[in-house]
Amino acid sequence: MPTELLLFYALGAGAVLSTAAMLLPTTGRSPIHAALLLIVSFFFLAGLYALLSAHLLSILQIIVYAGAIMVLFTFVIMLLNLSPDEIREPKISYAKMLGGGVALFVFGKLLNGIGLAASAAKAVDLTQHDTFGTVKEVGHMMYSTFMVPFELVSVLLLVAAVGAVVLAKKNLAYVDRPVPSPAEEFKTEGHAAGDGEAAAGHGGHH
Amino acid sequence: MLHDLALTSPLLILLFAALFTLVVDPFLPSTTEARSFWGRFGAGTSAMAILACAMLWKHGGNEMHTVAFGYHLSASPMSLFFTALVAMSAMLTHLSSPKYLVEQGSSYGEYYALLHFATFGMAVMVSSESLLSLFIGLEIMSMSIYVLVAFKRTSAASVEAGMKYFIMGSVASAFLLYGMAFLFGMSGGTSFIEIQRALAMPKPGQGGWLHLAVLMTMAAFLFKVAAVPFHMWTPDAYEGAPTPITGFMSSGVKVAAFGAFLKILYAALAGVGMSELHLPMATMLATFGVVTMTVGNLLALTQKSVKRMLAYSAIAHAGYLLLGCVASVPDGTLGAPYAVPTGAVPFYLVGYAVASLAAFAALSTVGSGGEELTGEAQLVGMGRRYPFAGAVLGLAMISLAGVPPTLGFFGKLQLLRDVLAVENGKYLPHVIILVLNSLVSAYYYLRVTVFVYMRPEGRTEREYVREPSLTWAMGIAMAALLIIGMLPYRAMTMAQTAGAGVRTAVASRHVAHELPAKAEPAAAAQK
């Protein structure tokens, strides 16, 4: 137990400190530093999940959040390419104050709830008593109780992929400009090559 | 398993139609003929879905209220009625699309696949028995519609509309998810049965969280149905979208959103729990309804573009329907504290969906070469140059205004009657405002017919888009408006059955007999 407790405090402190470091004036001015600190924070959180024997969540935290989503974040920051003087001093507006107030209120309520739960909780060895959160258990639930939502999500992802291709692909085959047959394409020296490729690769990659 | 597949057959037909379109389209030549084939194919498969709903309705018997696939989907009268209605919207949209898209220079096969996906999402929404499937259905629908709104990729207005709708819609989805998270946190389950069971025995200190959850969920639905104060996106999104898609948004999306809203209101939230927690849900809905209809109608008065005017009229109709949501009667099996909606909202939705589909199909005939000519002045002479489209547009306007021989009149009549019947006329002031609003709306609806028929035509002769499947779309919508309008009794009874079937039989049994089954361990954990 003490080892576990020690690990918990170490990981928790790491997560909190790396998040708090984003607010420092030196790093806070640089979006890319903040994003990198967020990755660090995600890793600490993944450790906390592993400690709770939620193995799958811990792995997903690293693959999805620390991996995919953070790559997206850093790409967006790099694409925006803000110079330091473009980043203005934060201003305090009424909307921000209101939002901050609501956030504080919710935070207080949550603290209260955690306090209530903690007073009722008993020490349980999660590895012994509960398989909740293991890969096997989550997989079992996903393919039994939550099979329908799981399948529906696959449709949702398909729709999103098709939609992204439809909106972002450069050349889609136009009706008013029919795709030429290979022979005609040869004659016109490939100005319609893009169209032919688009017709063949509908719904394919960008 | 097989049984479950049969119960969800309307959904499966729509899904397979979408996948088939997506897979086969690249192998077809991208010609006008191939695209109009997809239009007819889509109409055919939607009709098959309607047929499947009708079969389940007719032969369902005792299985009518069954849940399929472990409490995530159901085939209750309500879900079948609403599924048939969204499939009908999809059918007319499929028919009115092909030629319009060719004229606008963005005729791609993915359009029809996305239309199917959107319909599938709507069907999932109205058939859902759990928050999970409801939310995913809503997202499938929304994602498809965002893309369809921006489908005219070369038109700045269309892309802007899609972007606006996407950003605002994402915020609404976030609200919905947050509200659902709180509902889940309080009840420990995602299915409507579990939520209802948990709310029937509220634990001390839950009230505030429940209010928060309900308000957030309600805000998201008010956004989806375009109710004030969440209506800002509507005019731009409706005007920028391709005309058939505008029709689909004002019919299918509205039907699905109200269907899902009724389910959440009555199957998940309503009952003893709500009244004990002192949330004046009905009063709030009625107030939002009155404000929405008034704002929508007043703004519609000043519009010069018919498409934009119909967007504001969609807001006004959302107001009427919100007021209709308070019309309820005691549940037949569970008794007094539990309520079910009357047939008012389902029946009103039939009239509204058909009329707006007819109007937008008729508007699809004007405009060519990448241009849309839906200004009032541009409709002058339509009655003479293309009498059929003019007649359909005129009839749709008359029905939307609620003039007697049409479906719109009976929809409004039943809505008024059912709302008045609630608690001996508690909502009389609201109903009076509704009637005054209808009078105001007659002005701008009938003004369209004046432009179509009574204004002298200028020197320029306008060409109209004429195409067989578009004619079919207009013809079917017109026939439905007139026939159901003249013989409304059958549809009214079906709508009533639909309303009464909001709760599945399984849910009723659970609520009636297993009330104290699950609460103790959760309560112990709370302390």
Side-chain angles (χ1 to χ4, degrees), chain B residues 151-167:
Chain B
F151 208 81
K152 291 193 288 179
R153 306 195 317 167
T154 46
S155 148
S158 174
V159 174
E160 187 195 330
M163 197 67 195
K164 266 186 191 162
Y165 191 24
F166 172 59
I167 292 173

PDB file of all heavy atoms in Angstrom, chain B residues 151-167:
ATOM      1  N   PHE B 151     -23.097  21.707 -49.157  1.00  0.00           N
ATOM      2  CA  PHE B 151     -22.799  20.831 -50.290  1.00  0.00           C
ATOM      3  C   PHE B 151     -22.513  21.589 -51.581  1.00  0.00           C
ATOM      4  O   PHE B 151     -21.834  21.077 -52.456  1.00  0.00           O
ATOM      5  CB  PHE B 151     -23.943  19.842 -50.498  1.00  0.00           C
ATOM      6  CG  PHE B 151     -23.472  18.567 -51.124  1.00  0.00           C
ATOM      7  CD1 PHE B 151     -22.884  17.587 -50.353  1.00  0.00           C
ATOM      8  CD2 PHE B 151     -23.572  18.364 -52.487  1.00  0.00           C
ATOM      9  CE1 PHE B 151     -22.417  16.425 -50.921  1.00  0.00           C
ATOM     10  CE2 PHE B 151     -23.109  17.188 -53.055  1.00  0.00           C
ATOM     11  CZ  PHE B 151     -22.527  16.221 -52.269  1.00  0.00           C
ATOM     12  N   LYS B 152     -23.060  22.789 -51.716  1.00  0.00           N
ATOM     13  CA  LYS B 152     -22.713  23.586 -52.900  1.00  0.00           C
ATOM     14  C   LYS B 152     -21.358  24.222 -52.627  1.00  0.00           C
ATOM     15  O   LYS B 152     -21.255  25.370 -52.203  1.00  0.00           O
ATOM     16  CB  LYS B 152     -23.774  24.654 -53.144  1.00  0.00           C
ATOM     17  CG  LYS B 152     -25.097  24.088 -53.584  1.00  0.00           C
ATOM     18  CD  LYS B 152     -26.008  25.173 -54.116  1.00  0.00           C
ATOM     19  CE  LYS B 152     -26.512  26.034 -52.994  1.00  0.00           C
ATOM     20  NZ  LYS B 152     -27.371  27.121 -53.452  1.00  0.00           N
ATOM     21  N   ARG B 153     -20.300  23.462 -52.911  1.00  0.00           N
ATOM     22  CA  ARG B 153     -18.984  23.861 -52.423  1.00  0.00           C
ATOM     23  C   ARG B 153     -18.490  25.140 -53.063  1.00  0.00           C
ATOM     24  O   ARG B 153     -17.640  25.827 -52.530  1.00  0.00           O
ATOM     25  CB  ARG B 153     -17.971  22.756 -52.719  1.00  0.00           C
ATOM     26  CG  ARG B 153     -18.394  21.422 -52.188  1.00  0.00           C
ATOM     27  CD  ARG B 153     -17.257  20.469 -52.174  1.00  0.00           C
ATOM     28  NE  ARG B 153     -16.450  20.544 -53.390  1.00  0.00           N
ATOM     29  CZ  ARG B 153     -15.271  19.983 -53.514  1.00  0.00           C
ATOM     30  NH1 ARG B 153     -14.762  19.314 -52.514  1.00  0.00           N
ATOM     31  NH2 ARG B 153     -14.595  20.074 -54.635  1.00  0.00           N
ATOM     32  N   THR B 154     -19.013  25.464 -54.252  1.00  0.00           N
ATOM     33  CA  THR B 154     -18.521  26.662 -54.920  1.00  0.00           C
ATOM     34  C   THR B 154     -19.266  27.914 -54.469  1.00  0.00           C
ATOM     35  O   THR B 154     -18.861  29.024 -54.789  1.00  0.00           O
ATOM     36  CB  THR B 154     -18.688  26.510 -56.440  1.00  0.00           C
ATOM     37  OG1 THR B 154     -19.997  26.012 -56.694  1.00  0.00           O
ATOM     38  CG2 THR B 154     -17.663  25.537 -56.999  1.00  0.00           C
ATOM     39  N   SER B 155     -20.352  27.735 -53.729  1.00  0.00           N
ATOM     40  CA  SER B 155     -21.123  28.900 -53.287  1.00  0.00           C
ATOM     41  C   SER B 155     -20.679  29.311 -51.889  1.00  0.00           C
ATOM     42  O   SER B 155     -20.702  28.514 -50.950  1.00  0.00           O
ATOM     43  CB  SER B 155     -22.613  28.549 -53.295  1.00  0.00           C
ATOM     44  OG  SER B 155     -23.273  29.242 -52.271  1.00  0.00           O
ATOM     45  N   ALA B 156     -20.243  30.564 -51.786  1.00  0.00           N
ATOM     46  CA  ALA B 156     -19.753  31.051 -50.491  1.00  0.00           C
ATOM     47  C   ALA B 156     -20.851  30.991 -49.439  1.00  0.00           C
ATOM     48  O   ALA B 156     -20.604  30.638 -48.287  1.00  0.00           O
ATOM     49  CB  ALA B 156     -19.221  32.470 -50.633  1.00  0.00           C
ATOM     50  N   ALA B 157     -22.085  31.330 -49.861  1.00  0.00           N
ATOM     51  CA  ALA B 157     -23.196  31.349 -48.897  1.00  0.00           C
ATOM     52  C   ALA B 157     -23.426  29.966 -48.314  1.00  0.00           C
ATOM     53  O   ALA B 157     -23.651  29.812 -47.111  1.00  0.00           O
ATOM     54  CB  ALA B 157     -24.462  31.856 -49.585  1.00  0.00           C
ATOM     55  N   SER B 158     -23.342  28.954 -49.179  1.00  0.00           N
ATOM     56  CA  SER B 158     -23.595  27.593 -48.735  1.00  0.00           C
ATOM     57  C   SER B 158     -22.534  27.141 -47.741  1.00  0.00           C
ATOM     58  O   SER B 158     -22.845  26.574 -46.680  1.00  0.00           O
ATOM     59  CB  SER B 158     -23.624  26.663 -49.953  1.00  0.00           C
ATOM     60  OG  SER B 158     -23.735  25.329 -49.560  1.00  0.00           O
ATOM     61  N   VAL B 159     -21.258  27.396 -48.072  1.00  0.00           N
ATOM     62  CA  VAL B 159     -20.181  26.966 -47.180  1.00  0.00           C
ATOM     63  C   VAL B 159     -20.257  27.712 -45.851  1.00  0.00           C
ATOM     64  O   VAL B 159     -20.075  27.125 -44.774  1.00  0.00           O
ATOM     65  CB  VAL B 159     -18.816  27.179 -47.865  1.00  0.00           C
ATOM     66  CG1 VAL B 159     -17.691  26.865 -46.901  1.00  0.00           C
ATOM     67  CG2 VAL B 159     -18.708  26.317 -49.099  1.00  0.00           C
ATOM     68  N   GLU B 160     -20.577  29.020 -45.935  1.00  0.00           N
ATOM     69  CA  GLU B 160     -20.702  29.797 -44.702  1.00  0.00           C
ATOM     70  C   GLU B 160     -21.825  29.248 -43.838  1.00  0.00           C
ATOM     71  O   GLU B 160     -21.681  29.087 -42.615  1.00  0.00           O
ATOM     72  CB  GLU B 160     -20.971  31.258 -45.054  1.00  0.00           C
ATOM     73  CG  GLU B 160     -20.940  32.174 -43.847  1.00  0.00           C
ATOM     74  CD  GLU B 160     -21.545  33.520 -44.150  1.00  0.00           C
ATOM     75  OE1 GLU B 160     -21.474  33.954 -45.306  1.00  0.00           O
ATOM     76  OE2 GLU B 160     -22.103  34.130 -43.219  1.00  0.00           O
ATOM     77  N   ALA B 161     -22.946  28.927 -44.495  1.00  0.00           N
ATOM     78  CA  ALA B 161     -24.088  28.376 -43.749  1.00  0.00           C
ATOM     79  C   ALA B 161     -23.693  27.086 -43.056  1.00  0.00           C
ATOM     80  O   ALA B 161     -23.990  26.874 -41.875  1.00  0.00           O
ATOM     81  CB  ALA B 161     -25.258  28.135 -44.695  1.00  0.00           C
ATOM     82  N   GLY B 162     -22.989  26.210 -43.801  1.00  0.00           N
ATOM     83  CA  GLY B 162     -22.574  24.935 -43.217  1.00  0.00           C
ATOM     84  C   GLY B 162     -21.654  25.140 -42.029  1.00  0.00           C
ATOM     85  O   GLY B 162     -21.791  24.486 -40.992  1.00  0.00           O
ATOM     86  N   MET B 163     -20.731  26.069 -42.176  1.00  0.00           N
ATOM     87  CA  MET B 163     -19.755  26.332 -41.103  1.00  0.00           C
ATOM     88  C   MET B 163     -20.469  26.856 -39.858  1.00  0.00           C
ATOM     89  O   MET B 163     -20.210  26.396 -38.744  1.00  0.00           O
ATOM     90  CB  MET B 163     -18.753  27.360 -41.623  1.00  0.00           C
ATOM     91  CG  MET B 163     -17.493  27.434 -40.822  1.00  0.00           C
ATOM     92  SD  MET B 163     -16.580  25.898 -41.000  1.00  0.00           S
ATOM     93  CE  MET B 163     -15.447  26.058 -39.652  1.00  0.00           C
ATOM     94  N   LYS B 164     -21.381  27.819 -40.073  1.00  0.00           N
ATOM     95  CA  LYS B 164     -22.125  28.384 -38.935  1.00  0.00           C
ATOM     96  C   LYS B 164     -22.903  27.298 -38.212  1.00  0.00           C
ATOM     97  O   LYS B 164     -22.858  27.169 -36.992  1.00  0.00           O
ATOM     98  CB  LYS B 164     -23.105  29.440 -39.442  1.00  0.00           C
ATOM     99  CG  LYS B 164     -22.559  30.844 -39.407  1.00  0.00           C
ATOM    100  CD  LYS B 164     -23.642  31.817 -39.783  1.00  0.00           C
ATOM    101  CE  LYS B 164     -23.021  33.178 -40.019  1.00  0.00           C
ATOM    102  NZ  LYS B 164     -23.893  34.056 -40.778  1.00  0.00           N
ATOM    103  N   TYR B 165     -23.621  26.521 -39.015  1.00  0.00           N
ATOM    104  CA  TYR B 165     -24.452  25.478 -38.452  1.00  0.00           C
ATOM    105  C   TYR B 165     -23.592  24.489 -37.678  1.00  0.00           C
ATOM    106  O   TYR B 165     -23.951  24.047 -36.582  1.00  0.00           O
ATOM    107  CB  TYR B 165     -25.204  24.788 -39.586  1.00  0.00           C
ATOM    108  CG  TYR B 165     -26.310  23.861 -39.154  1.00  0.00           C
ATOM    109  CD1 TYR B 165     -26.930  24.004 -37.926  1.00  0.00           C
ATOM    110  CD2 TYR B 165     -26.755  22.852 -39.992  1.00  0.00           C
ATOM    111  CE1 TYR B 165     -27.944  23.170 -37.553  1.00  0.00           C
ATOM    112  CE2 TYR B 165     -27.771  22.009 -39.624  1.00  0.00           C
ATOM    113  CZ  TYR B 165     -28.358  22.164 -38.397  1.00  0.00           C
ATOM    114  OH  TYR B 165     -29.354  21.325 -38.026  1.00  0.00           O
ATOM    115  N   PHE B 166     -22.418  24.168 -38.242  1.00  0.00           N
ATOM    116  CA  PHE B 166     -21.523  23.201 -37.621  1.00  0.00           C
ATOM    117  C   PHE B 166     -21.042  23.705 -36.258  1.00  0.00           C
ATOM    118  O   PHE B 166     -21.111  22.984 -35.248  1.00  0.00           O
ATOM    119  CB  PHE B 166     -20.338  22.938 -38.545  1.00  0.00           C
ATOM    120  CG  PHE B 166     -19.260  22.095 -37.922  1.00  0.00           C
ATOM    121  CD1 PHE B 166     -19.543  20.828 -37.461  1.00  0.00           C
ATOM    122  CD2 PHE B 166     -17.968  22.577 -37.805  1.00  0.00           C
ATOM    123  CE1 PHE B 166     -18.560  20.050 -36.883  1.00  0.00           C
ATOM    124  CE2 PHE B 166     -16.980  21.805 -37.229  1.00  0.00           C
ATOM    125  CZ  PHE B 166     -17.276  20.545 -36.763  1.00  0.00           C
ATOM    126  N   ILE B 167     -20.595  24.971 -36.221  1.00  0.00           N
ATOM    127  CA  ILE B 167     -20.032  25.475 -34.961  1.00  0.00           C
ATOM    128  C   ILE B 167     -21.118  25.590 -33.898  1.00  0.00           C
ATOM    129  O   ILE B 167     -20.974  25.110 -32.769  1.00  0.00           O
ATOM    130  CB  ILE B 167     -19.326  26.823 -35.194  1.00  0.00           C
ATOM    131  CG1 ILE B 167     -18.081  26.577 -36.043  1.00  0.00           C
ATOM    132  CG2 ILE B 167     -18.955  27.474 -33.889  1.00  0.00           C
ATOM    133  CD1 ILE B 167     -17.386  27.800 -36.477  1.00  0.00           C
TER     134      ILE B 167
END
